[in-house]
Amino acid sequence: AQKVTQAQTEISVVEKEDVTLDCVYETRDTTYYLFWYKQPPSGELVFLIRRNSFDEQNEISGRYSWNFQKSTSSFNFTITASQVVDSAVYFCALSPLYRGSTLGRLYFGKGTQLTVWP
Amino acid sequence: ETGVTQSPTHLIKTRGQQVTLRCSSQSGHNTVSWYQQALGQGPQFIFQYYREEENGRGNFPPRFSGLQFPNYSSELNVNALELDDSALYLCASSLFGQDSNQPQHFGDGTRLSIL
């Protein structure tokens, strides 16, 4: 069974603050992908990052960084110097990577609503 | 490159009616997945179509059905609509093949309201 938990339902910060969104997952599969998606009020899910379960190297992309720790089954997302445009719902998701599975089926957490105030 | 497009944007139906939602996949993609997102929840997988056949299904009843066409576009059909079917329906497309396993790209969704 696959499960993704995002314990933070809502987070509010003031512009320029750093913020970390937590994601904990459960899976019995040894190979899988982890994702973060952003959902602005328009509804579209915007792909941010995908990590392979074999690659625990942290990644930085501009103001965004991701910390993948297999030992704690966590894949946390940090926004540095947050901006008002970062306000959105952020989803963490898991996709098993074994043959025979539905191709790339995503299991989502419930999301974290991030509000950045000016 | 054209992204994933869904139609209509919004739809209002009454209980017991039937609805068809449409999705055009991103150029070059061959797989379409449908998700249901209830208010305040994460998207839930409905089913996936690959090479015009259903390739996996989530925990949804048979009144949820779909099609994929030769141009890889897709339809989601829901019969005997219930109040709990009110949700945002998201379509995602991706390219799967022997050497590729690309992330899914989502459309803006269709917001379905059942009265």
Side-chain angles (χ1 to χ4, degrees):
Chain A
Q2 326 292 338
K3 184 178 180 181
V4 176
T5 302
Q6 295 179 255
Q8 304 151 310
T9 305
E10 297 182 23
I11 299 177
S12 288
V13 298
V14 177
E15 217 172 11
K16 298 184 183 178
E17 286 186 9
D18 298 347
V19 58
T20 295
L21 309 182
D22 297 332
C23 173
V24 174
Y25 62 92
E26 296 175 31
T27 180
R28 294 179 182 176
D29 297 297
T30 56
T31 56
Y32 48 88
Y33 280 128
L34 294 167
F35 298 80
W36 276 95
Y37 281 88
K38 173 182 180 180
Q39 188 174 46
S42 61
E44 178 185 3
L45 280 168
V46 179
F47 167 78
L48 296 178
I49 189 172
R50 180 183 71 173
R51 301 299 289 172
N52 188 305
S53 55
F54 290 128
D55 182 4
E56 288 193 66
Q57 189 172 11
N58 292 331
E59 182 160 340
I60 298 175
S61 176
R63 296 185 297 108
Y64 296 170
S65 62
W66 291 270
N67 183 351
F68 176 27
Q69 292 195 340
K70 209 167 180 179
S71 60
T72 57
S73 297
S74 66
F75 186 44
N76 296 336
F77 173 31
T78 297
I79 302 175
T80 303
S82 60
Q83 300 175 2
V84 173
V85 294
D86 295 328
S87 297
V89 181
Y90 290 85
F91 289 96
C92 181
L94 168 75
S95 179
L97 233 183
Y98 52 87
R99 289 191 179 276
S101 70
T102 302
L103 302 171
R105 171 180 176 172
L106 292 165
Y107 296 82
F108 286 88
K110 291 188 175 182
T112 297
Q113 169 70 60
L114 173 65
T115 302
V116 181
W117 297 99
Chain B
E1 180 177 88
T2 305
V4 179
T5 57
Q6 293 186 240
S7 62
T9 306
H10 294 87
L11 203 50
I12 300 174
K13 291 284 188 177
T14 57
R15 285 169 52 188
Q17 285 190 311
Q18 178 267 342
V19 69
T20 297
L21 309 182
R22 295 179 174 83
C23 172
S24 292
S25 59
Q26 184 169 313
S27 176
H29 287 183
N30 58 11
T31 304
V32 172
S33 300
W34 286 92
Y35 292 81
Q36 179 197 65
Q37 185 179 13
L39 196 61
Q41 302 295 316
Q44 298 290 316
F45 177 77
I46 302 175
F47 45 53
Q48 180 184 88
Y49 279 83
Y50 174 59
R51 293 180 177 176
E52 301 179 52
E53 292 190 356
E54 188 179 289
N55 182 53
R57 188 180 185 91
N59 189 25
F60 281 82
R63 59 190 184 83
F64 285 78
S65 63
L67 286 172
Q68 186 180 34
F69 300 99
N71 65 354
Y72 303 120
S73 65
S74 177
E75 286 182 356
L76 163 65
N77 300 292
V78 187
N79 294 322
L81 286 166
E82 301 176 359
L83 293 178
D84 284 348
D85 295 334
S86 294
L88 178 67
Y89 288 84
L90 293 161
C91 170
S93 73
S94 52
L95 173 64
F96 283 94
Q98 185 175 3
D99 298 319
S100 69
N101 187 6
Q102 298 302 310
Q104 296 184 40
H105 292 266
F106 286 81
D108 288 346
T110 294
R111 190 163 297 280
L112 176 63
S113 299
I114 310 301
L115 303 179

